[in-house]
Amino acid sequence: PPPQPPPPPRRRAMASSSSEPPTDAMAAASISGAATGVAPPLESDLTLDEKYELCRSVGEECIQEEELRNLLDKKPVPVCYDGFEPSGRMHIAQGVMKCLNVNKLTKAGCHFKFWVADWFALMNNKMGGDLKKIQKVGQYMVEVWKAVGMDLSRVEFIWSSEEINKRGHEYWPLVLDIARRNKLARILRCTQIMGRSETDDLAASQIFYPVMQCADIFFLKADICQLGVDQRKVNMLAREYCDDIKRKMKPIILSHHMLMGLKQGQEKMSKSDPESAIFMEDSEADVNVKLKKAYCPPGEVKGNPCLEYIKYVVMPWTGKFSVTRPEENGGNVDYDAYEDVEADFVSGALHPGDVKPALARHLNAILQPVRDHFANDADAKKLLDTIKKYKVTK
């Protein structure tokens, strides 16, 4: 991995009575302890078209494409942001797909800010609302991204609890202005971002949450919101706020695909259902068993999680999908394009019995560096052992 700057100085205590001053270990988990500015412009041979295609490939949806091209043309170092609640073990979509996306964006010259949303996890009652546990999970997630191969040279991790305390005079007036300009009904429509519904019996903190997440975008000076499609409504709220305040430069929304769960009918993976997802430090046996049970109806593409894993994880990571099987079952085959995998699966030339073991082999190879890191690094191992004992709360 690229050399990292020295750890930031010890942080100030957080205001919450349920917290204690962030530890040195937490500081060490940050590539940069605070929003200290962006990386310098990247020397690159990529053309504008190549940079645009690289960035655009990250998103299932882009609002708006012309704005993205113009940003890449005019701004030497565009700022991308994603926020995440430290809410449990990391599944493969958050680990591998996010790594792929960040590496593409930084290769195109962007600077990536991860908003470690510990206060937001507390407001959403993750880890039972225990801030100490939430922060432990945040440290673990940073360790996973380091281990899997994320290029951290143009990445910083910013803890929301620390940065909001430090710059509250900037943050809270922004939050209040966004709240003042929006009706409650509009904010309730954003509750999907928390995995909630506007008809749920919400805590008051969960009403604050979308307003604060909207404010984060401006607080972090983000040009590109690179979150999942499930976060679309609050990102659109930010663009609407720009209209309200007559701001011409709106944040660009680059929303990535949400990987479905392994069971039939699961639109996305759930940390509270361990059988619905592959987790980043799952053992080889865990991966094999989960995929053996995974929904994979012969010839059906729609709603098939195994094909989704091939399309969004294996092919982008390895550039191919290799199947090993006896000659009487068609022999070994290497696929260089997902479309060929899908075509053979629909025709019956590729059977679920071929797909599952091949997929398991590929995923185990991708995850092995993460397993090795948590097995061989004493601090990382202790961290994982600790969070595995935590009860995941919805």
Side-chain angles (χ1 to χ4, degrees):
Q4 303 301 335
R10 188 172 179 86
R11 303 162 182 226
R12 70 179 67 185
M14 284 172 279
S16 170
S17 60
S18 64
S19 70
E20 62 185 12
T23 64
D24 289 332
M26 186 170 158
S30 291
I31 301 311
S32 173
T36 54
V38 300
L42 183 69
E43 292 186 16
S44 172
D45 294 330
L46 295 178
T47 66
L48 174 61
D49 285 345
E50 288 169 335
K51 289 180 181 178
Y52 171 78
E53 290 300 329
L54 199 55
C55 293
R56 184 62 186 86
S57 69
V58 165
E60 187 168 80
E61 177 185 52
C62 177
I63 304 173
Q64 300 282 348
E65 291 182 337
E66 190 55 40
E67 293 175 17
L68 176 60
R69 180 180 288 276
N70 185 60
L71 174 71
L72 295 170
D73 185 33
K74 302 297 184 186
K75 189 168 183 178
V77 186
V79 175
C80 305
Y81 126 90
D82 186 7
F84 64 93
E85 285 185 0
S87 57
R89 293 169 63 201
M90 185 184 289
H91 53 59
I92 201 166
Q94 194 172 20
V96 174
M97 288 176 64
K98 177 51 66 176
C99 178
L100 286 163
N101 290 343
V102 169
N103 287 354
K104 285 180 180 180
L105 291 164
T106 55
K107 183 180 179 181
C110 298
H111 177 92
F112 206 101
K113 294 183 178 182
F114 273 108
W115 188 233
V116 189
D118 49 356
W119 267 4
F120 291 77
L122 185 152
M123 290 192 293
N124 202 17
N125 198 38
K126 296 301 173 69
M127 296 290 119
D130 187 323
L131 191 58
K132 293 178 185 177
K133 290 182 178 179
I134 289 165
Q135 290 171 344
K136 281 287 184 185
V137 175
Q139 295 169 43
Y140 147 82
M141 296 176 87
V142 174
E143 286 296 315
V144 172
W145 280 317
K146 287 180 183 178
V148 77
M150 183 180 287
D151 178 4
L152 299 174
S153 60
R154 303 176 69 82
V155 171
E156 61 180 323
F157 295 93
I158 307 166
W159 297 80
S160 67
S161 54
E162 175 196 359
E163 199 67 13
I164 293 171
N165 271 340
K166 184 189 301 181
R167 297 165 53 205
H169 62 288
E170 298 175 47
Y171 188 77
W172 294 115
L174 182 57
V175 171
L176 293 176
D177 193 50
I178 293 168
R180 183 179 64 85
R181 293 173 184 270
N182 286 279
K183 302 295 185 186
L184 180 59
R186 176 66 183 91
I187 300 304
L188 286 174
R189 290 204 300 274
C190 294
T191 51
Q192 175 191 1
I193 66 173
M194 302 177 286
R196 311 291 176 182
S197 165
E198 55 191 286
T199 59
D200 287 352
D201 184 17
L202 299 170
S205 61
Q206 292 166 327
I207 307 297
F208 299 159
Y209 191 118
V211 179
M212 291 172 64
Q213 183 170 325
C214 181
D216 295 342
I217 297 165
F218 304 100
F219 184 61
L220 296 172
K221 297 179 171 55
D223 302 303
I224 299 172
C225 301
Q226 205 294 279
L227 297 91
V229 291
D230 60 335
Q231 305 295 302
R232 185 183 192 277
K233 289 182 179 179
V234 77
N235 292 333
M236 288 302 299
L237 181 66
R239 288 179 64 89
E240 293 165 12
Y241 178 65
C242 289
D243 291 333
D244 290 340
I245 63 174
K246 307 296 189 290
R247 171 175 162 158
K248 291 183 179 179
M249 294 297 291
K250 299 179 180 180
I252 295 157
I253 304 172
L254 198 57
S255 304
H256 62 252
H257 177 78
M258 301 296 292
L259 203 62
M260 66 177 67
L262 291 174
K263 298 179 179 179
Q264 182 176 3
Q266 288 184 318
E267 291 186 359
K268 66 176 187 175
M269 292 175 286
S270 170
K271 292 179 183 178
S272 59
D273 180 2
E275 297 302 311
S276 74
I278 304 295
F279 292 95
M280 290 298 292
E281 74 302 317
D282 270 350
S283 70
E284 184 174 343
D286 289 336
V287 172
N288 294 341
V289 169
K290 288 181 181 183
L291 288 177
K292 189 173 182 179
K293 295 178 180 178
Y295 182 65
C296 188
E300 290 187 28
V301 175
K302 187 176 181 181
N304 189 324
C306 292
L307 294 188
E308 280 240 325
Y309 271 59
I310 296 169
K311 181 177 182 178
Y312 291 102
V313 178
V314 175
M315 294 299 294
W317 191 269
T318 66
K320 67 177 182 178
F321 181 66
S322 301
V323 174
T324 303
R325 59 189 175 183
E327 285 297 328
E328 59 267 27
N329 292 338
N332 298 346
V333 59
D334 292 330
Y335 294 96
D336 296 320
Y338 168 75
E339 291 76 16
D340 296 334
V341 177
E342 186 175 299
D344 274 6
F345 190 78
V346 170
S347 73
L350 191 63
H351 188 269
D354 305 323
V355 168
K356 289 185 174 186
L359 178 56
R361 189 176 65 256
H362 280 290
L363 294 183
N364 278 317
I366 293 170
L367 297 180
Q368 193 56 47
V370 180
R371 294 184 190 125
D372 291 343
H373 177 66
F374 283 101
N376 300 327
D377 184 294
D379 291 336
K381 185 178 186 301
K382 182 178 179 182
L383 194 58
L384 178 61
D385 290 343
T386 298
I387 71 147
K388 277 186 172 180
K389 297 173 185 175
Y390 294 162
K391 181 181 178 182
V392 175
T393 55
K394 293 185 178 180

